[in-house]
Amino acid sequence: MPSYPRNLPNFYILRKGNSQNYTYPRKNWEPKFVPLRNRIEHAETLLKAFEKAIEDYQQQKSLREPELAIGKSGIYLEFQLPKSELEAVEKLEHKPKQIELLAVRSSDDAGSGAEVRCIAFSILIQTGLYRIASLLLQDYHDAEETVSATVFVPETALNFFSSKIEDYRDEETETGKPKNEPLIARLEDISLGTVSALFTDNLALFPSESQEVWWEVWLRHGCRESFQQIAQILDIRVTEHSITFPEREVVLALTSVTTLSRIIKNNGLIAELRLAKDSPSIFFEMEQEQDSWVKDLENRTIVASNTNLAVCLLDSGVTRSHPLIKPALASEDLLTCNPHWGVEDSKHWRGHGTDMAGIALYGNLYNVLATSSIVYLTHRLESVKILPAKGENDPKLYGAITKEAVYRAEISNPKRQRVICMPVTSEIHNNTGVPSSWSAAVDQICFEFQRLMVIPVGNIAGDIMLSEYPHRNDASQAENPSQAWNALVVGAYTDKVNIVDPRYAKCQTIAPAGDLSPRSRTSLLWTDKWPIRPDVTFEGGNLATDDTDSPGMDIDDLRLLTTYYQPNVRQFNLSGDTSAATALCSYMAACIWAEHPEYWSETVRALIVHSAEWTHAMRSNLPRKPSQSQKVSILLRRYGYGVPNLERALFSSKNDLTMICEDRLQPFHKEHGKVKTKEMNLHILPWPTKELEKLREAEVKMRVTLSYFIEPNPGERGWQNKHSYASYGLRLAIKRSTETLEDFRQRINKEAIETEEKVTSTVTGDSGWFLGPKTWNRGSIHSDIWEGTAAELAQKDSIGIYPVGGWWRYNSRCEGWNKTARYALIVSLRVVNDVEVDIYTPISNKIKQTVPINMLPSNERDS
């Protein structure tokens, strides 16, 4: 059964069009020409073909999978007829018998021959060879093309077409013509329909049997819910959004020809198949039309006039004159770290800053160009140029330059709320996660200004081979400054696997859909004491190759569309890799803050991580029964926590909700000249206990995420010991189902003491956590998912947050012991398998009546 929606507001247009009476004049279709046929011979040929199709269908039916046999039973029949008789396909449909015409495809869609002919014709005209061009054009028109029409026939009407053919053979009309001649005489062949029969795109682009690609699945009317059930059974990834037409509903699904074949052999839900087309080449290649597309988007874009929110780009500068950027980037917000560099983007960096600006402002630019809707920009842009117009900065200076850039933005507009996006990394000091001066500067910026900073994990340079993927990614360490603890570090995954350009029809993508983008780096070689990198992944594009030994190619279909730094040359450019993913993440952060400007930076960071999920492709890399270390190395250190979802970050549903808490504690204090731990917080959750207990054995999930910023140790000693580098650490403890609240409090103190003394805990572990508590001590953001029964979860209603040592405690001369730490705690509760139960309302009622945060008495705190 369907899950509850995440309630999103819809626009309602009040003004309606004036209603006028209008009657469309009916026209009876009469064929202009009927092919001359040997009536008996033609009928027998078609009957044999039809009987063979029925025989194949009966064999197919005997192998049906009962769980997939949903809906009305029937057969897909594919009819061939001349393209000149295209209107005859309408005769194949018979609504009283529920025979439905589904898909029609012309033979000129079977390859790129038509395109090649057009190119050749154009060249001949340009070179003055008019006579040869005329002959080519004549040959083109003389070529007989055919049409393939696919029809769904219910089992109750299987004899419909055989009867039509037999009547054509044996009976005549009052005028003495063969009965049904306008249809039957035009048919060339009949066969059992396959997946390719429903494919209405260029057949040269038809994927191989096992290749997973994104499809537009055009469903017959009323079949959406049944298709969703089958998608769950077959583990097909289906996007949440769909388009509804009077007779069709279109969904996007990631699957293979093999799986689609299983579906159509068992039911008649699918009407048509196309490749999902979000290729930026549609806009990128047509340079003459780019100005008009930009003008259209410019005219329907509204920039919020009262926004105090911006994405601040630290990059190669931005070309403000671009018409899509200028409305959101004021001239006074164009800054530079060195006046000699200027503020504009440069050819030396190939317009990298302007590439990132388009993505940070619009997200996926293709999506806004492909619609006619109004685009509301709820955030602005700032730009601080940190890269010189020529050459490169001294690597040792990048930390200082980054600080200088942020200081300039802060001084220019100190009250502005900003996401700092720095899509720049360096190979220098790429040392198994050990902090560098640059990464420490990033941590200092986040802590000092309480700003959210988004940076990439870094790209692999040079050629990428299919045979090397993903082993080379695993061996390529995350780049400097992604060692930073406080920044949100972004890797790249990709869903771009559809190649629609006929020139690359024989190519395959290096990365499968939902897996790591081919150039994205990882932290598998880092030691366990350093943070997980990346934190999350966003779309970074893909590479294609026509040979396992050939390097991957950047082709247009597999890149992201964005703005070009020389708009007088062209308006659009193509981008990708972890830089583009970082800009997309910054866009998401700005979208969250636009909805909730009161949130802390730590909270926005936590929401992005908390909303992330690993794709099916990511999880498929795990063995059947993975160990905790395999989960860390295969999932966390390659993909972080997965792919974030903006809707999940912003909204809840009745059976899948999120709670957000922002709180503070003082980790340490000084007593009798000795620095000791001071505070811990206990959060009593407003749990829907009665509702959970009623669900008993129903499967539920709880996700917990803790986010805070540490102050980095400015001395070299901190490079060697994580407790010396970080000012403090915070840890999670979750009440177990069998514990009383008092038992839970005592356990928190015991675990805190053992953590300080580096003693392995003797307390029995809590089962059900996907990653496990050992992963909760890396970096300054921790997230995990508990899964179990509703009855068990009903008693897990408390969370403790306690401090562990850092240099604030051990370096008393710096007086960090008297400082306060703030953190964001996010808890989600989800009833899985789409069980329809309202747990949202009882939590809402409890929150209105109680205060969910309690602090332990001072005599029970760890000292």
Side-chain angles (χ1 to χ4, degrees):
M1 59 184 69
S3 61
Y4 290 110
R6 295 183 182 273
N7 297 324
L8 297 173
N10 294 317
F11 293 103
Y12 183 78
I13 308 301
L14 294 174
R15 187 173 180 179
K16 308 296 182 183
N18 294 325
S19 179
Q20 302 280 320
N21 291 330
Y22 175 71
T23 303
Y24 186 83
R26 289 190 65 183
K27 292 174 68 177
N28 292 323
W29 176 73
E30 290 293 338
K32 298 176 183 178
F33 173 77
V34 177
L36 294 175
R37 299 283 192 185
N38 181 318
R39 180 177 173 183
I40 304 298
E41 184 179 304
H42 183 60
E44 292 298 330
T45 299
L46 290 179
L47 282 172
K48 286 181 180 179
F50 180 78
E51 289 168 1
K52 177 65 167 59
I54 296 297
E55 181 183 337
D56 292 342
Y57 169 69
Q58 295 297 346
Q59 183 178 0
Q60 178 178 289
K61 184 179 176 182
S62 67
L63 301 173
R64 270 189 177 169
E65 302 169 68
E67 68 274 17
L68 303 183
I70 297 175
K72 187 181 291 292
S73 298
I75 180 176
Y76 287 98
L77 288 178
E78 184 177 6
F79 295 86
Q80 302 290 336
L81 62 162
K83 188 175 183 179
S84 57
E85 311 300 331
L86 182 60
E87 291 184 41
V89 299
E90 300 296 335
K91 293 285 185 179
L92 294 170
E93 187 168 77
H94 193 275
K95 291 188 177 180
K97 292 187 177 293
Q98 297 181 310
I99 297 173
E100 185 177 350
L101 176 64
L102 302 179
V104 179
R105 186 186 68 248
S106 173
S107 62
D108 60 1
D109 293 331
S112 55
E115 181 182 357
V116 172
R117 282 193 295 267
C118 289
I119 294 171
F121 180 74
S122 176
I123 293 172
L124 290 169
I125 291 294
Q126 291 174 19
T127 53
L129 301 175
Y130 303 109
R131 183 171 178 275
I132 299 176
S134 177
L135 291 172
L136 177 67
L137 189 62
Q138 182 178 342
D139 289 341
Y140 171 70
H141 285 300
D142 289 345
E144 185 62 73
E145 296 172 355
T146 60
V147 165
S148 169
T150 305
V151 175
F152 179 74
V153 183
E155 281 195 343
T156 54
L158 282 183
N159 63 348
F160 177 80
F161 286 105
S162 59
S163 298
K164 286 269 188 184
I165 297 169
E166 289 168 354
D167 289 347
Y168 164 78
R169 181 192 62 191
D170 301 332
E171 298 184 21
E172 296 177 351
T173 64
E174 293 179 356
T175 59
K177 295 181 179 180
K179 197 172 182 179
N180 303 321
E181 184 183 40
L183 172 63
I184 305 303
R186 283 166 168 74
L187 299 180
E188 298 286 354
D189 196 10
I190 306 172
S191 60
L192 182 66
T194 61
V195 173
S196 62
L198 298 174
F199 186 71
T200 55
D201 276 339
N202 190 325
L203 267 181
L205 302 175
F206 192 72
S208 61
E209 291 288 321
S210 59
Q211 181 185 2
E212 283 201 335
V213 299
W214 284 101
W215 302 81
E216 282 185 9
V217 181
W218 293 61
L219 298 169
R220 297 172 62 217
H221 179 70
C223 293
R224 170 73 187 276
E225 188 172 337
S226 296
F227 184 77
Q228 290 283 15
Q229 292 178 34
I230 287 176
Q232 287 186 346
I233 294 170
L234 297 178
D235 202 18
I236 297 173
R237 188 170 154 203
V238 180
T239 59
E240 296 178 6
H241 303 291
S242 63
I243 306 172
T244 302
F245 300 106
E247 292 185 309
R248 298 285 183 265
E249 190 160 9
V250 185
V251 298
L252 293 183
L254 176 66
T255 188
S256 65
V257 172
T258 301
T259 303
L260 288 171
S261 181
R262 288 177 64 187
I263 294 175
I264 70 169
K265 287 176 180 178
N266 285 278
N267 57 68
L269 305 178
I270 300 175
E272 183 181 346
L273 293 165
R274 305 179 189 178
L275 287 179
K277 300 178 184 67
D278 65 346
S279 171
S281 61
I282 296 173
F283 298 105
F284 179 69
E285 291 181 349
M286 300 182 182
E287 293 187 13
Q288 293 181 352
E289 289 82 3
Q290 288 186 12
D291 289 342
S292 60
W293 281 321
V294 166
K295 189 67 177 177
D296 171 69
L297 178 55
E298 191 181 2
N299 290 337
R300 54 187 172 87
T301 298
I302 298 175
V303 183
S305 58
N306 60 344
T307 184
N308 191 39
L309 172 63
V311 172
C312 179
L313 278 170
L314 311 186
D315 206 319
S316 62
V318 174
T319 301
R320 181 177 177 266
S321 61
H322 195 291
L324 295 183
I325 292 175
K326 189 173 183 179
L329 178 57
S331 57
E332 60 268 25
D333 290 331
L334 276 174
L335 306 171
T336 180
C337 285
N338 188 326
H340 298 293
W341 298 347
V343 296
E344 294 288 326
D345 210 344
S346 65
K347 183 178 181 180
H348 177 73
W349 299 103
R350 301 179 182 177
H352 190 268
T354 308
D355 284 357
M356 299 303 102
I359 297 172
L361 190 58
Y362 293 93
N364 187 340
L365 188 57
Y366 173 91
N367 289 343
V368 293
L369 287 171
T371 69
S372 57
S373 305
I374 298 296
V375 176
Y376 294 93
L377 298 182
T378 56
H379 63 278
R380 307 183 67 84
L381 286 178
E382 294 177 327
S383 171
V384 187
K385 190 166 184 173
I386 65 170
L387 299 174
K390 294 182 179 180
E392 295 185 11
N393 293 315
D394 184 338
K396 295 178 182 178
L397 293 178
Y398 270 117
I401 290 172
T402 303
K403 276 190 171 183
E404 172 74 12
V406 175
Y407 290 157
R408 287 180 179 272
E410 293 289 341
I411 293 170
S412 175
N413 201 329
K415 295 183 179 180
R416 176 170 284 170
Q417 194 168 31
R418 54 175 56 87
V419 180
I420 301 171
C421 175
M422 186 175 68
V424 178
T425 61
S426 171
E427 292 180 302
I428 307 295
H429 199 100
N430 199 18
N431 187 16
T432 61
V434 176
S436 67
S437 59
W438 191 6
S439 71
V442 169
D443 282 333
Q444 189 66 45
I445 290 166
C446 296
F447 181 82
E448 181 179 342
F449 293 104
Q450 295 181 332
R451 296 296 192 190
L452 175 61
M453 197 161 182
V454 186
I455 60 178
V457 75
N459 300 323
I460 302 172
D463 293 338
I464 306 293
M465 305 292 184
L466 177 62
S467 58
E468 297 175 331
Y469 176 88
H471 313 295
R472 186 174 173 189
N473 305 78
D474 293 343
S476 300
Q477 295 184 51
E479 290 188 318
N480 194 21
S482 64
Q483 310 98 307
W485 289 41
N486 296 336
L488 187 59
V489 180
V490 183
Y493 91 109
T494 188
D495 267 331
K496 289 188 172 291
V497 291
N498 287 20
I499 299 174
V500 298
D501 189 333
R503 293 175 297 176
Y504 303 102
K506 294 182 180 180
C507 288
Q508 61 175 315
T509 59
I510 286 182
D515 215 326
L516 196 68
S517 189
R519 295 194 185 277
S520 191
R521 291 174 173 266
T522 66
S523 64
L524 267 74
L525 297 184
W526 287 13
T527 56
D528 285 343
K529 64 182 181 180
W530 300 118
I532 299 297
R533 290 293 176 263
D535 291 308
V536 289
T537 60
F538 281 78
E539 178 64 68
N542 210 338
L543 298 175
T545 181
D546 55 2
D547 192 316
T548 56
D549 295 324
S550 298
M553 299 177 289
D554 282 320
I555 67 174
D556 297 355
D557 294 337
L558 305 177
R559 305 290 281 170
L560 284 80
L561 190 73
T562 187
T563 46
Y564 189 52
Y565 81 110
Q566 292 181 314
N568 57 318
V569 176
R570 66 172 189 266
Q571 300 289 346
F572 302 132
N573 199 27
L574 298 172
S575 185
D577 305 326
T578 61
S579 296
T582 300
L584 283 173
C585 182
S586 301
Y587 170 81
M588 178 176 175
C591 290
I592 293 173
W593 251 330
E595 289 287 331
H596 296 283
E598 72 279 9
Y599 283 168
W600 293 345
S601 298
E602 298 93 328
T603 308
V604 175
R605 175 194 185 210
L607 278 168
I608 292 173
V609 168
H610 193 82
S611 71
E613 293 183 341
W614 295 293
T615 66
H616 173 74
M618 294 173 183
R619 284 180 172 269
S620 67
N621 291 305
L622 287 174
R624 187 174 181 182
K625 293 182 179 180
S627 65
Q628 298 302 99
S629 62
Q630 287 173 322
K631 293 175 185 177
V632 171
S633 61
I634 296 175
L635 287 182
L636 275 183
R637 291 204 175 274
R638 186 186 284 174
Y639 313 106
Y641 291 95
V643 183
N645 181 291
L646 179 60
E647 187 177 339
R648 183 173 293 278
L650 288 175
F651 300 101
S652 297
S653 66
K654 288 185 177 180
N655 64 348
D656 187 356
L657 55 92
T658 298
M659 293 174 283
I660 300 168
C661 174
E662 296 173 324
D663 206 353
R664 290 180 169 88
L665 58 77
Q666 184 175 335
F668 313 111
H669 71 140
K670 205 169 193 178
E671 186 177 69
H672 306 301
K674 186 177 180 181
V675 179
K676 301 179 180 181
T677 55
K678 182 181 182 183
E679 292 181 347
M680 57 177 288
N681 285 350
L682 179 67
H683 296 264
I684 308 298
L685 303 173
W687 235 220
T689 307
K690 292 182 180 178
E691 286 71 16
L692 289 172
E693 288 175 343
K694 289 177 184 177
L695 292 173
R696 297 179 65 80
E697 299 303 311
E699 185 182 357
V700 294
K701 291 183 179 181
M702 174 177 66
R703 182 162 188 171
V704 181
T705 300
L706 174 66
S707 172
Y708 54 96
F709 290 162
I710 57 98
E711 184 178 7
N713 186 336
E716 286 294 325
R717 185 171 60 89
W719 279 209
Q720 305 302 319
N721 185 291
K722 71 172 182 177
H723 288 301
S724 297
Y725 177 74
S727 51
Y728 66 95
L730 295 181
R731 298 292 180 262
L732 286 161
I734 294 89
K735 181 177 174 292
R736 295 169 186 155
S737 305
T738 56
E739 283 182 319
T740 65
L741 188 58
E742 184 59 32
D743 290 339
F744 176 48
R745 290 176 172 178
Q746 292 179 9
R747 176 167 63 85
I748 294 174
N749 281 304
K750 180 177 175 60
E751 290 183 358
I753 293 170
E754 290 176 341
T755 300
E756 287 297 309
E757 297 177 353
K758 301 179 183 179
V759 175
T760 303
S761 177
T762 56
V763 182
T764 304
D766 186 8
S767 61
W769 293 100
F770 182 74
L771 296 171
K774 287 185 179 180
T775 64
W776 304 351
N777 59 1
R778 297 163 188 172
S780 61
I781 187 164
H782 318 298
S783 187
D784 205 349
I785 301 168
W786 180 89
E787 189 168 354
T789 67
E792 290 175 301
L793 185 60
Q795 305 303 319
K796 299 174 73 68
D797 56 358
S798 304
I799 294 179
I801 308 295
Y802 61 90
V804 294
W807 66 264
W808 277 4
R809 178 175 183 177
Y810 301 127
N811 191 344
S812 59
R813 292 176 299 170
C814 296
E815 296 191 353
W817 49 266
N818 60 1
K819 295 181 181 180
T820 300
R822 70 180 196 179
Y823 62 87
L825 175 65
I826 301 181
V827 182
S828 286
L829 173 57
R830 179 182 180 187
V831 182
V832 298
N833 298 327
D834 295 333
V835 175
E836 290 196 359
V837 58
D838 182 6
I839 56 174
Y840 187 93
T841 301
I843 287 182
S844 177
N845 293 335
K846 283 193 174 186
I847 289 175
K848 293 176 183 177
Q849 299 168 8
T850 62
V851 179
I853 304 168
N854 291 320
M855 188 175 291
L856 285 176
S858 58
N859 61 355
E860 293 188 18
R861 298 174 195 145
D862 173 31
S863 57

